[in-house]
Amino acid sequence: MKKEQNKINRRSFIETGAKATALSLASPLVGLGARSMDKKRKLALVGTGSRGTFLWGKKLLDGYGRYVDLVGLCDINLKRAQFSQQYIGAKTPVYHADEFDRMIAETQPDAVIVATTDSFHEKYIVRAMHLGCDVICEKPLTTEAEQCQNILLTEQKTGKKIITTFNARYGNDAEEIRRIIMSGELGRIISAEFHEYLDTIHGASYFRRWNGRIKYSGSLLVHKASHHFDQMNWWLDAEPETVHAFGDVAFYGKNHSFRSRKCRGCPFQQKCDFYWDITKNKKAMQMYVNCEDEDGYVRDSCVWDNEIDSYDTMTVQVRYNNGTLLNYSLNAFMPYEGQRIAFNGEKGRLDVRIYSRQPWQTENKNEFRLTKNFQNTKTWSVQIGKGGHGGADSALLDMLFLPSQSDPLGKLAGSRAGVLASLMGIAARTSIETGNIVRIDDLIEFPLRWRW
Ligand SMILES: NC(=O)c1ccc[n+]([C@@H]2O[C@H](COP(=O)([O-])OP(=O)(O)OC[C@H]3O[C@@H](n4cnc5c(N)ncnc54)[C@H](O)[C@@H]3O)[C@@H](O)[C@H]2O)c1
């Protein structure tokens, strides 16, 4: 990014940020414009894969069709977009990715929903804003620092708004943590811990598709950990300053004695613990296998592919601008799913354990423990919501599309939160590649000083 291109000085960026923050805390309408009962919001979707079709297509229209219209569907794979149209059950016109501009011109959406492969988010965010649309973008907002810079510049230039759909803020457990930290019960948070365990089903699923390649996903430090980095930034109400990380491909990829191209037709089906029969999954067959000839996207790729370069084990240390130190780790080959999260405050400690698919008990569970210095400890659980991601997907859609929503916890996330979470993953990746401690401020030219 050339210096002379960057016309926004530190002061105006801070001021713009402060205004946007005030707006977002006052009203969840920021970024989407006013919704009203008598005028439906027109939305176009780019990226009609699983998230696009099932959440931003079907669930959105079934549940919120009174408030929104889906006016266009766009994908690089026209067959998949056609399946999406049929699955959603609407007459929404379908466009190839090359016809994105034509879709916008013909359908005149108020906002574009971006749910493509991560590395292409920025291309559509920027183009949509230039064509006069607001943007609702799946996490991670983007995968590269230059893309973050470009998005922020375009947002400033066009005056259009971006919502980053951090649904992980909307689960009951995440909200409970936010309430506790906001209450001040723990006092100043001196350090925090976040350990993510992805199991041999969920974790492995990333290594069967594009997510296993850094050039498409930015690595799991961006693709997956952006959820957790964003949660931590939001819980702590603080900004990351410096990042150090280690990471390896230590389990999948090259770490095996046999491999093939994909599970279908693999000669090692009988002896591979990770053999996955996609032919038994009707939706996956319709959405991916039947569309394979169009773009060569193989959904059941071999988890032992030598080309896999996305780390499956990683540790990250972060220092925040308020002095809090974060210790983060992610392992993607665990025998069960879950998280271990803790906050060490000057008045006590909060421990949170979240389990799913654990072999020793049948139900998904969370456990909260708050221990005050020199006092007792108390434990409790919060109810896990129903539906996708523990009820978080529905809660996010409610917030975005139902009228008269309030946002006392500040869950609605804009471009700033999206950029910061992506930059933390990018900084961690850079640290792994270079061995250096990476300053977030060195990654893009805008000073990152605002509260959101
Ligand atoms: N918030 C969440 O909980 C959550 C959950 C799942 C996925 N996601 C996000 O949703 C997005 C989609 O993930 P998914 O699981 O649906 O993946 P997917 O592979 O099922 O779908 C991706 C779609 O993007 C299309 N695509 C790829 N390159 C394109 C391009 N250049 N132009 C237009 N379309 C292109 C593909 O053809 C495919 O249809 C990702 O950004 C992912 O991070 C978020």
Side-chain angles (χ1 to χ4, degrees), residues 46-51 75-77 80 97 115-118 120-121 124 138-140 167 209-210 223 227 288 297 389:
V46 59
T48 58
S50 128
R51 189 74 175 161
D75 199 282
I76 203 159
N77 188 319
R80 187 154 35 248
T116 64
T117 302
D118 301 344
F120 301 110
H121 287 182
Y124 291 108
E138 264 300 346
K139 54 49 60 180
N167 53 333
R209 48 188 169 134
W210 54 263
H223 174 77
H227 269 313
Y288 300 109
Y297 175 14
H389 296 104

PDB file of all heavy atoms in Angstrom, residues 46-51 75-77 80 97 115-118 120-121 124 138-140 167 209-210 223 227 288 297 389, ligand 1:
ATOM      1  N   VAL A  46     -23.281 -14.268  -2.468  1.00  0.00           N
ATOM      2  CA  VAL A  46     -22.188 -14.835  -3.268  1.00  0.00           C
ATOM      3  C   VAL A  46     -21.501 -15.911  -2.420  1.00  0.00           C
ATOM      4  O   VAL A  46     -21.140 -15.670  -1.274  1.00  0.00           O
ATOM      5  CB  VAL A  46     -21.202 -13.750  -3.783  1.00  0.00           C
ATOM      6  CG1 VAL A  46     -20.559 -12.948  -2.663  1.00  0.00           C
ATOM      7  CG2 VAL A  46     -20.125 -14.373  -4.656  1.00  0.00           C
ATOM      8  N   GLY A  47     -21.390 -17.111  -3.005  1.00  0.00           N
ATOM      9  CA  GLY A  47     -20.876 -18.271  -2.267  1.00  0.00           C
ATOM     10  C   GLY A  47     -22.050 -19.125  -1.821  1.00  0.00           C
ATOM     11  O   GLY A  47     -22.572 -18.948  -0.722  1.00  0.00           O
ATOM     12  N   THR A  48     -22.454 -20.053  -2.697  1.00  0.00           N
ATOM     13  CA  THR A  48     -23.656 -20.864  -2.409  1.00  0.00           C
ATOM     14  C   THR A  48     -23.264 -22.279  -1.988  1.00  0.00           C
ATOM     15  O   THR A  48     -23.881 -23.249  -2.390  1.00  0.00           O
ATOM     16  CB  THR A  48     -24.584 -20.923  -3.635  1.00  0.00           C
ATOM     17  OG1 THR A  48     -23.823 -21.468  -4.733  1.00  0.00           O
ATOM     18  CG2 THR A  48     -25.105 -19.545  -4.007  1.00  0.00           C
ATOM     19  N   GLY A  49     -22.199 -22.379  -1.171  1.00  0.00           N
ATOM     20  CA  GLY A  49     -21.804 -23.662  -0.605  1.00  0.00           C
ATOM     21  C   GLY A  49     -22.675 -23.977   0.595  1.00  0.00           C
ATOM     22  O   GLY A  49     -23.829 -23.527   0.691  1.00  0.00           O
ATOM     23  N   SER A  50     -22.104 -24.698   1.516  1.00  0.00           N
ATOM     24  CA  SER A  50     -22.913 -25.182   2.627  1.00  0.00           C
ATOM     25  C   SER A  50     -23.420 -24.050   3.528  1.00  0.00           C
ATOM     26  O   SER A  50     -24.612 -23.954   3.812  1.00  0.00           O
ATOM     27  CB  SER A  50     -22.084 -26.246   3.349  1.00  0.00           C
ATOM     28  OG  SER A  50     -21.985 -26.033   4.656  1.00  0.00           O
ATOM     29  N   ARG A  51     -22.541 -23.156   3.927  1.00  0.00           N
ATOM     30  CA  ARG A  51     -22.972 -22.048   4.785  1.00  0.00           C
ATOM     31  C   ARG A  51     -23.918 -21.115   4.029  1.00  0.00           C
ATOM     32  O   ARG A  51     -24.920 -20.651   4.562  1.00  0.00           O
ATOM     33  CB  ARG A  51     -21.729 -21.285   5.249  1.00  0.00           C
ATOM     34  CG  ARG A  51     -21.982 -20.246   6.306  1.00  0.00           C
ATOM     35  CD  ARG A  51     -22.246 -20.857   7.653  1.00  0.00           C
ATOM     36  NE  ARG A  51     -22.371 -19.874   8.704  1.00  0.00           N
ATOM     37  CZ  ARG A  51     -22.953 -20.113   9.867  1.00  0.00           C
ATOM     38  NH1 ARG A  51     -23.480 -21.307  10.128  1.00  0.00           N
ATOM     39  NH2 ARG A  51     -23.023 -19.183  10.780  1.00  0.00           N
ATOM     40  N   ASP A  75     -22.097 -17.884  -7.697  1.00  0.00           N
ATOM     41  CA  ASP A  75     -21.017 -18.785  -7.277  1.00  0.00           C
ATOM     42  C   ASP A  75     -20.119 -19.030  -8.475  1.00  0.00           C
ATOM     43  O   ASP A  75     -20.549 -18.899  -9.629  1.00  0.00           O
ATOM     44  CB  ASP A  75     -21.589 -20.120  -6.766  1.00  0.00           C
ATOM     45  CG  ASP A  75     -20.601 -20.884  -5.907  1.00  0.00           C
ATOM     46  OD1 ASP A  75     -19.674 -21.513  -6.479  1.00  0.00           O
ATOM     47  OD2 ASP A  75     -20.729 -20.859  -4.671  1.00  0.00           O
ATOM     48  N   ILE A  76     -18.896 -19.435  -8.198  1.00  0.00           N
ATOM     49  CA  ILE A  76     -17.969 -19.769  -9.284  1.00  0.00           C
ATOM     50  C   ILE A  76     -18.390 -21.098  -9.919  1.00  0.00           C
ATOM     51  O   ILE A  76     -18.029 -21.397 -11.046  1.00  0.00           O
ATOM     52  CB  ILE A  76     -16.516 -19.806  -8.757  1.00  0.00           C
ATOM     53  CG1 ILE A  76     -15.549 -19.585  -9.900  1.00  0.00           C
ATOM     54  CG2 ILE A  76     -16.219 -21.090  -7.988  1.00  0.00           C
ATOM     55  CD1 ILE A  76     -14.191 -19.120  -9.432  1.00  0.00           C
ATOM     56  N   ASN A  77     -19.170 -21.879  -9.174  1.00  0.00           N
ATOM     57  CA  ASN A  77     -19.671 -23.160  -9.672  1.00  0.00           C
ATOM     58  C   ASN A  77     -21.184 -23.024  -9.909  1.00  0.00           C
ATOM     59  O   ASN A  77     -21.979 -23.034  -8.967  1.00  0.00           O
ATOM     60  CB  ASN A  77     -19.371 -24.260  -8.644  1.00  0.00           C
ATOM     61  CG  ASN A  77     -19.695 -25.635  -9.175  1.00  0.00           C
ATOM     62  OD1 ASN A  77     -20.702 -25.834  -9.830  1.00  0.00           O
ATOM     63  ND2 ASN A  77     -18.825 -26.593  -8.871  1.00  0.00           N
ATOM     64  N   ARG A  80     -23.534 -25.687  -8.569  1.00  0.00           N
ATOM     65  CA  ARG A  80     -23.810 -25.604  -7.130  1.00  0.00           C
ATOM     66  C   ARG A  80     -24.820 -24.482  -6.850  1.00  0.00           C
ATOM     67  O   ARG A  80     -25.716 -24.635  -6.041  1.00  0.00           O
ATOM     68  CB  ARG A  80     -22.513 -25.368  -6.341  1.00  0.00           C
ATOM     69  CG  ARG A  80     -22.736 -25.456  -4.848  1.00  0.00           C
ATOM     70  CD  ARG A  80     -21.521 -25.858  -4.035  1.00  0.00           C
ATOM     71  NE  ARG A  80     -20.264 -25.382  -4.517  1.00  0.00           N
ATOM     72  CZ  ARG A  80     -19.305 -26.170  -5.024  1.00  0.00           C
ATOM     73  NH1 ARG A  80     -19.492 -27.467  -5.083  1.00  0.00           N
ATOM     74  NH2 ARG A  80     -18.170 -25.660  -5.441  1.00  0.00           N
ATOM     75  N   ALA A  97     -19.887 -16.442 -11.039  1.00  0.00           N
ATOM     76  CA  ALA A  97     -19.030 -15.446 -10.378  1.00  0.00           C
ATOM     77  C   ALA A  97     -18.567 -14.354 -11.350  1.00  0.00           C
ATOM     78  O   ALA A  97     -18.428 -13.193 -10.956  1.00  0.00           O
ATOM     79  CB  ALA A  97     -17.830 -16.140  -9.750  1.00  0.00           C
ATOM     80  N   ALA A 115     -20.210 -15.431   1.339  1.00  0.00           N
ATOM     81  CA  ALA A 115     -19.980 -16.728   2.006  1.00  0.00           C
ATOM     82  C   ALA A 115     -19.159 -17.646   1.106  1.00  0.00           C
ATOM     83  O   ALA A 115     -19.392 -18.850   1.047  1.00  0.00           O
ATOM     84  CB  ALA A 115     -21.320 -17.375   2.368  1.00  0.00           C
ATOM     85  N   THR A 116     -18.199 -17.063   0.408  1.00  0.00           N
ATOM     86  CA  THR A 116     -17.312 -17.864  -0.451  1.00  0.00           C
ATOM     87  C   THR A 116     -16.173 -18.445   0.383  1.00  0.00           C
ATOM     88  O   THR A 116     -16.031 -18.141   1.575  1.00  0.00           O
ATOM     89  CB  THR A 116     -16.671 -16.977  -1.537  1.00  0.00           C
ATOM     90  OG1 THR A 116     -15.840 -16.010  -0.876  1.00  0.00           O
ATOM     91  CG2 THR A 116     -17.698 -16.254  -2.374  1.00  0.00           C
ATOM     92  N   THR A 117     -15.321 -19.200  -0.264  1.00  0.00           N
ATOM     93  CA  THR A 117     -14.025 -19.578   0.290  1.00  0.00           C
ATOM     94  C   THR A 117     -13.350 -18.299   0.820  1.00  0.00           C
ATOM     95  O   THR A 117     -13.418 -17.249   0.185  1.00  0.00           O
ATOM     96  CB  THR A 117     -13.188 -20.194  -0.862  1.00  0.00           C
ATOM     97  OG1 THR A 117     -13.921 -21.306  -1.375  1.00  0.00           O
ATOM     98  CG2 THR A 117     -11.816 -20.613  -0.409  1.00  0.00           C
ATOM     99  N   ASP A 118     -12.697 -18.414   1.996  1.00  0.00           N
ATOM    100  CA  ASP A 118     -12.220 -17.226   2.725  1.00  0.00           C
ATOM    101  C   ASP A 118     -11.378 -16.258   1.891  1.00  0.00           C
ATOM    102  O   ASP A 118     -11.540 -15.044   1.978  1.00  0.00           O
ATOM    103  CB  ASP A 118     -11.348 -17.652   3.921  1.00  0.00           C
ATOM    104  CG  ASP A 118     -12.097 -18.542   4.894  1.00  0.00           C
ATOM    105  OD1 ASP A 118     -13.344 -18.596   4.822  1.00  0.00           O
ATOM    106  OD2 ASP A 118     -11.428 -19.192   5.726  1.00  0.00           O
ATOM    107  N   PHE A 120     -11.395 -15.305  -0.990  1.00  0.00           N
ATOM    108  CA  PHE A 120     -12.077 -14.471  -1.994  1.00  0.00           C
ATOM    109  C   PHE A 120     -13.037 -13.473  -1.368  1.00  0.00           C
ATOM    110  O   PHE A 120     -13.687 -12.712  -2.090  1.00  0.00           O
ATOM    111  CB  PHE A 120     -12.819 -15.364  -3.003  1.00  0.00           C
ATOM    112  CG  PHE A 120     -11.905 -16.313  -3.723  1.00  0.00           C
ATOM    113  CD1 PHE A 120     -11.945 -17.677  -3.469  1.00  0.00           C
ATOM    114  CD2 PHE A 120     -10.961 -15.832  -4.626  1.00  0.00           C
ATOM    115  CE1 PHE A 120     -11.080 -18.552  -4.111  1.00  0.00           C
ATOM    116  CE2 PHE A 120     -10.089 -16.696  -5.268  1.00  0.00           C
ATOM    117  CZ  PHE A 120     -10.145 -18.060  -5.012  1.00  0.00           C
ATOM    118  N   HIS A 121     -13.153 -13.451  -0.045  1.00  0.00           N
ATOM    119  CA  HIS A 121     -14.093 -12.523   0.590  1.00  0.00           C
ATOM    120  C   HIS A 121     -13.817 -11.079   0.169  1.00  0.00           C
ATOM    121  O   HIS A 121     -14.715 -10.332  -0.207  1.00  0.00           O
ATOM    122  CB  HIS A 121     -14.003 -12.618   2.125  1.00  0.00           C
ATOM    123  CG  HIS A 121     -14.607 -13.861   2.696  1.00  0.00           C
ATOM    124  ND1 HIS A 121     -14.659 -14.115   4.051  1.00  0.00           N
ATOM    125  CD2 HIS A 121     -15.201 -14.935   2.117  1.00  0.00           C
ATOM    126  CE1 HIS A 121     -15.245 -15.274   4.270  1.00  0.00           C
ATOM    127  NE2 HIS A 121     -15.576 -15.794   3.106  1.00  0.00           N
ATOM    128  N   TYR A 124     -15.054  -9.649  -3.172  1.00  0.00           N
ATOM    129  CA  TYR A 124     -16.489  -9.346  -3.278  1.00  0.00           C
ATOM    130  C   TYR A 124     -16.909  -8.219  -2.337  1.00  0.00           C
ATOM    131  O   TYR A 124     -17.804  -7.433  -2.669  1.00  0.00           O
ATOM    132  CB  TYR A 124     -17.312 -10.612  -3.028  1.00  0.00           C
ATOM    133  CG  TYR A 124     -17.140 -11.599  -4.155  1.00  0.00           C
ATOM    134  CD1 TYR A 124     -16.413 -12.771  -3.980  1.00  0.00           C
ATOM    135  CD2 TYR A 124     -17.663 -11.317  -5.413  1.00  0.00           C
ATOM    136  CE1 TYR A 124     -16.224 -13.658  -5.028  1.00  0.00           C
ATOM    137  CE2 TYR A 124     -17.473 -12.201  -6.475  1.00  0.00           C
ATOM    138  CZ  TYR A 124     -16.753 -13.363  -6.281  1.00  0.00           C
ATOM    139  OH  TYR A 124     -16.564 -14.233  -7.333  1.00  0.00           O
ATOM    140  N   GLU A 138     -19.237 -13.423   6.041  1.00  0.00           N
ATOM    141  CA  GLU A 138     -18.872 -14.509   6.947  1.00  0.00           C
ATOM    142  C   GLU A 138     -17.467 -14.287   7.502  1.00  0.00           C
ATOM    143  O   GLU A 138     -16.642 -13.614   6.897  1.00  0.00           O
ATOM    144  CB  GLU A 138     -18.917 -15.850   6.205  1.00  0.00           C
ATOM    145  CG  GLU A 138     -20.209 -16.619   6.381  1.00  0.00           C
ATOM    146  CD  GLU A 138     -20.502 -16.954   7.852  1.00  0.00           C
ATOM    147  OE1 GLU A 138     -19.610 -16.829   8.713  1.00  0.00           O
ATOM    148  OE2 GLU A 138     -21.646 -17.335   8.136  1.00  0.00           O
ATOM    149  N   LYS A 139     -17.211 -14.853   8.666  1.00  0.00           N
ATOM    150  CA  LYS A 139     -15.850 -14.853   9.193  1.00  0.00           C
ATOM    151  C   LYS A 139     -15.039 -15.865   8.411  1.00  0.00           C
ATOM    152  O   LYS A 139     -15.638 -16.809   7.879  1.00  0.00           O
ATOM    153  CB  LYS A 139     -15.803 -15.166  10.686  1.00  0.00           C
ATOM    154  CG  LYS A 139     -16.477 -16.428  11.187  1.00  0.00           C
ATOM    155  CD  LYS A 139     -16.282 -17.768  10.596  1.00  0.00           C
ATOM    156  CE  LYS A 139     -14.948 -18.406  10.550  1.00  0.00           C
ATOM    157  NZ  LYS A 139     -14.980 -19.769   9.914  1.00  0.00           N
ATOM    158  N   PRO A 140     -13.742 -15.771   8.318  1.00  0.00           N
ATOM    159  CA  PRO A 140     -12.963 -14.596   8.672  1.00  0.00           C
ATOM    160  C   PRO A 140     -13.188 -13.515   7.629  1.00  0.00           C
ATOM    161  O   PRO A 140     -13.383 -13.843   6.452  1.00  0.00           O
ATOM    162  CB  PRO A 140     -11.532 -15.131   8.603  1.00  0.00           C
ATOM    163  CG  PRO A 140     -11.575 -16.175   7.542  1.00  0.00           C
ATOM    164  CD  PRO A 140     -12.922 -16.825   7.663  1.00  0.00           C
ATOM    165  N   ASN A 167     -20.837 -15.255  14.624  1.00  0.00           N
ATOM    166  CA  ASN A 167     -21.909 -15.924  15.375  1.00  0.00           C
ATOM    167  C   ASN A 167     -21.415 -16.461  16.718  1.00  0.00           C
ATOM    168  O   ASN A 167     -22.223 -16.675  17.629  1.00  0.00           O
ATOM    169  CB  ASN A 167     -22.528 -17.052  14.535  1.00  0.00           C
ATOM    170  CG  ASN A 167     -21.501 -18.023  14.002  1.00  0.00           C
ATOM    171  OD1 ASN A 167     -20.345 -17.660  13.804  1.00  0.00           O
ATOM    172  ND2 ASN A 167     -21.895 -19.255  13.771  1.00  0.00           N
ATOM    173  N   ARG A 209     -10.706 -30.489   2.619  1.00  0.00           N
ATOM    174  CA  ARG A 209     -11.165 -29.481   1.643  1.00  0.00           C
ATOM    175  C   ARG A 209     -10.234 -28.274   1.642  1.00  0.00           C
ATOM    176  O   ARG A 209      -9.152 -28.337   2.209  1.00  0.00           O
ATOM    177  CB  ARG A 209     -12.612 -29.094   1.934  1.00  0.00           C
ATOM    178  CG  ARG A 209     -12.856 -28.778   3.397  1.00  0.00           C
ATOM    179  CD  ARG A 209     -14.332 -28.577   3.712  1.00  0.00           C
ATOM    180  NE  ARG A 209     -14.532 -28.541   5.150  1.00  0.00           N
ATOM    181  CZ  ARG A 209     -15.266 -27.641   5.783  1.00  0.00           C
ATOM    182  NH1 ARG A 209     -15.876 -26.705   5.125  1.00  0.00           N
ATOM    183  NH2 ARG A 209     -15.402 -27.695   7.095  1.00  0.00           N
ATOM    184  N   TRP A 210     -10.679 -27.170   1.080  1.00  0.00           N
ATOM    185  CA  TRP A 210      -9.805 -26.004   0.855  1.00  0.00           C
ATOM    186  C   TRP A 210      -9.209 -25.454   2.132  1.00  0.00           C
ATOM    187  O   TRP A 210      -8.156 -24.816   2.121  1.00  0.00           O
ATOM    188  CB  TRP A 210     -10.557 -24.910   0.080  1.00  0.00           C
ATOM    189  CG  TRP A 210     -11.876 -24.457   0.659  1.00  0.00           C
ATOM    190  CD1 TRP A 210     -13.111 -24.904   0.282  1.00  0.00           C
ATOM    191  CD2 TRP A 210     -12.099 -23.493   1.698  1.00  0.00           C
ATOM    192  NE1 TRP A 210     -14.095 -24.272   1.020  1.00  0.00           N
ATOM    193  CE2 TRP A 210     -13.499 -23.400   1.900  1.00  0.00           C
ATOM    194  CE3 TRP A 210     -11.263 -22.703   2.477  1.00  0.00           C
ATOM    195  CZ2 TRP A 210     -14.075 -22.542   2.846  1.00  0.00           C
ATOM    196  CZ3 TRP A 210     -11.832 -21.848   3.422  1.00  0.00           C
ATOM    197  CH2 TRP A 210     -13.223 -21.782   3.597  1.00  0.00           C
ATOM    198  N   HIS A 223      -8.851 -18.953   9.615  1.00  0.00           N
ATOM    199  CA  HIS A 223     -10.176 -19.517   9.324  1.00  0.00           C
ATOM    200  C   HIS A 223     -10.950 -19.852  10.599  1.00  0.00           C
ATOM    201  O   HIS A 223     -12.112 -19.490  10.745  1.00  0.00           O
ATOM    202  CB  HIS A 223     -10.038 -20.776   8.473  1.00  0.00           C
ATOM    203  CG  HIS A 223     -11.342 -21.464   8.271  1.00  0.00           C
ATOM    204  ND1 HIS A 223     -12.282 -21.011   7.376  1.00  0.00           N
ATOM    205  CD2 HIS A 223     -11.904 -22.531   8.896  1.00  0.00           C
ATOM    206  CE1 HIS A 223     -13.364 -21.775   7.459  1.00  0.00           C
ATOM    207  NE2 HIS A 223     -13.154 -22.701   8.368  1.00  0.00           N
ATOM    208  N   HIS A 227     -12.649 -16.746  15.076  1.00  0.00           N
ATOM    209  CA  HIS A 227     -13.779 -16.783  16.020  1.00  0.00           C
ATOM    210  C   HIS A 227     -13.296 -16.499  17.445  1.00  0.00           C
ATOM    211  O   HIS A 227     -13.874 -15.712  18.175  1.00  0.00           O
ATOM    212  CB  HIS A 227     -14.364 -18.203  16.093  1.00  0.00           C
ATOM    213  CG  HIS A 227     -15.463 -18.468  15.122  1.00  0.00           C
ATOM    214  ND1 HIS A 227     -16.514 -17.634  14.920  1.00  0.00           N
ATOM    215  CD2 HIS A 227     -15.687 -19.539  14.325  1.00  0.00           C
ATOM    216  CE1 HIS A 227     -17.344 -18.167  14.031  1.00  0.00           C
ATOM    217  NE2 HIS A 227     -16.854 -19.319  13.646  1.00  0.00           N
ATOM    218  N   TYR A 288     -21.738 -31.130  -3.644  1.00  0.00           N
ATOM    219  CA  TYR A 288     -20.326 -31.155  -4.029  1.00  0.00           C
ATOM    220  C   TYR A 288     -20.023 -32.165  -5.139  1.00  0.00           C
ATOM    221  O   TYR A 288     -19.519 -31.798  -6.191  1.00  0.00           O
ATOM    222  CB  TYR A 288     -19.452 -31.448  -2.799  1.00  0.00           C
ATOM    223  CG  TYR A 288     -19.609 -30.422  -1.702  1.00  0.00           C
ATOM    224  CD1 TYR A 288     -20.262 -30.737  -0.513  1.00  0.00           C
ATOM    225  CD2 TYR A 288     -19.115 -29.127  -1.861  1.00  0.00           C
ATOM    226  CE1 TYR A 288     -20.413 -29.795   0.501  1.00  0.00           C
ATOM    227  CE2 TYR A 288     -19.259 -28.181  -0.861  1.00  0.00           C
ATOM    228  CZ  TYR A 288     -19.913 -28.522   0.320  1.00  0.00           C
ATOM    229  OH  TYR A 288     -20.062 -27.575   1.300  1.00  0.00           O
ATOM    230  N   TYR A 297     -13.554 -29.081  -7.445  1.00  0.00           N
ATOM    231  CA  TYR A 297     -13.532 -29.010  -5.968  1.00  0.00           C
ATOM    232  C   TYR A 297     -13.931 -30.379  -5.408  1.00  0.00           C
ATOM    233  O   TYR A 297     -15.068 -30.797  -5.540  1.00  0.00           O
ATOM    234  CB  TYR A 297     -14.492 -27.915  -5.514  1.00  0.00           C
ATOM    235  CG  TYR A 297     -14.714 -27.757  -4.016  1.00  0.00           C
ATOM    236  CD1 TYR A 297     -13.888 -28.347  -3.060  1.00  0.00           C
ATOM    237  CD2 TYR A 297     -15.768 -26.972  -3.555  1.00  0.00           C
ATOM    238  CE1 TYR A 297     -14.110 -28.176  -1.706  1.00  0.00           C
ATOM    239  CE2 TYR A 297     -16.008 -26.795  -2.195  1.00  0.00           C
ATOM    240  CZ  TYR A 297     -15.168 -27.408  -1.277  1.00  0.00           C
ATOM    241  OH  TYR A 297     -15.397 -27.233   0.061  1.00  0.00           O
ATOM    242  N   HIS A 389     -24.833 -24.220  15.821  1.00  0.00           N
ATOM    243  CA  HIS A 389     -23.849 -23.608  16.720  1.00  0.00           C
ATOM    244  C   HIS A 389     -24.476 -23.206  18.049  1.00  0.00           C
ATOM    245  O   HIS A 389     -24.337 -22.064  18.509  1.00  0.00           O
ATOM    246  CB  HIS A 389     -23.178 -22.402  16.047  1.00  0.00           C
ATOM    247  CG  HIS A 389     -22.370 -22.794  14.844  1.00  0.00           C
ATOM    248  ND1 HIS A 389     -22.790 -22.590  13.554  1.00  0.00           N
ATOM    249  CD2 HIS A 389     -21.164 -23.402  14.736  1.00  0.00           C
ATOM    250  CE1 HIS A 389     -21.882 -23.051  12.704  1.00  0.00           C
ATOM    251  NE2 HIS A 389     -20.889 -23.555  13.398  1.00  0.00           N
TER     252      HIS A 389
HETATM  253  N1  LIG B   1     -19.664 -18.632  11.109  1.00  0.00           N
HETATM  254  C1  LIG B   1     -19.645 -19.946  11.024  1.00  0.00           C
HETATM  255  O1  LIG B   1     -19.949 -20.639  11.974  1.00  0.00           O
HETATM  256  C2  LIG B   1     -19.264 -20.593   9.729  1.00  0.00           C
HETATM  257  C3  LIG B   1     -19.492 -21.961   9.531  1.00  0.00           C
HETATM  258  C4  LIG B   1     -19.130 -22.507   8.307  1.00  0.00           C
HETATM  259  C5  LIG B   1     -18.540 -21.711   7.323  1.00  0.00           C
HETATM  260  N2  LIG B   1     -18.343 -20.398   7.563  1.00  0.00           N
HETATM  261  C6  LIG B   1     -17.726 -19.528   6.531  1.00  0.00           C
HETATM  262  O2  LIG B   1     -18.564 -19.519   5.381  1.00  0.00           O
HETATM  263  C7  LIG B   1     -17.790 -19.459   4.199  1.00  0.00           C
HETATM  264  C8  LIG B   1     -18.165 -20.635   3.298  1.00  0.00           C
HETATM  265  O3  LIG B   1     -17.824 -21.853   3.939  1.00  0.00           O
HETATM  266  P1  LIG B   1     -18.520 -23.219   3.538  1.00  0.00           P
HETATM  267  O4  LIG B   1     -18.298 -24.178   4.640  1.00  0.00           O
HETATM  268  O5  LIG B   1     -19.890 -22.951   3.062  1.00  0.00           O
HETATM  269  O6  LIG B   1     -17.604 -23.658   2.306  1.00  0.00           O
HETATM  270  P2  LIG B   1     -18.064 -24.360   0.949  1.00  0.00           P
HETATM  271  O7  LIG B   1     -16.822 -24.881   0.338  1.00  0.00           O
HETATM  272  O8  LIG B   1     -19.202 -25.277   1.178  1.00  0.00           O
HETATM  273  O9  LIG B   1     -18.615 -23.136   0.083  1.00  0.00           O
HETATM  274  C9  LIG B   1     -17.789 -22.167  -0.491  1.00  0.00           C
HETATM  275  C10 LIG B   1     -18.449 -21.718  -1.769  1.00  0.00           C
HETATM  276  O10 LIG B   1     -17.691 -20.646  -2.341  1.00  0.00           O
HETATM  277  C11 LIG B   1     -17.638 -20.867  -3.739  1.00  0.00           C
HETATM  278  N3  LIG B   1     -16.499 -20.131  -4.292  1.00  0.00           N
HETATM  279  C12 LIG B   1     -15.183 -20.442  -4.203  1.00  0.00           C
HETATM  280  N4  LIG B   1     -14.450 -19.517  -4.820  1.00  0.00           N
HETATM  281  C13 LIG B   1     -15.311 -18.587  -5.302  1.00  0.00           C
HETATM  282  C14 LIG B   1     -15.146 -17.396  -6.027  1.00  0.00           C
HETATM  283  N5  LIG B   1     -13.943 -16.932  -6.384  1.00  0.00           N
HETATM  284  N6  LIG B   1     -16.246 -16.702  -6.365  1.00  0.00           N
HETATM  285  C15 LIG B   1     -17.478 -17.129  -6.016  1.00  0.00           C
HETATM  286  N7  LIG B   1     -17.692 -18.260  -5.329  1.00  0.00           N
HETATM  287  C16 LIG B   1     -16.610 -18.984  -4.971  1.00  0.00           C
HETATM  288  C17 LIG B   1     -17.516 -22.362  -3.888  1.00  0.00           C
HETATM  289  O11 LIG B   1     -17.842 -22.801  -5.182  1.00  0.00           O
HETATM  290  C18 LIG B   1     -18.504 -22.826  -2.837  1.00  0.00           C
HETATM  291  O12 LIG B   1     -19.803 -22.940  -3.349  1.00  0.00           O
HETATM  292  C19 LIG B   1     -16.330 -19.469   4.637  1.00  0.00           C
HETATM  293  O13 LIG B   1     -15.849 -18.155   4.673  1.00  0.00           O
HETATM  294  C20 LIG B   1     -16.378 -20.029   6.062  1.00  0.00           C
HETATM  295  O14 LIG B   1     -15.348 -19.534   6.864  1.00  0.00           O
HETATM  296  C21 LIG B   1     -18.701 -19.820   8.741  1.00  0.00           C
END
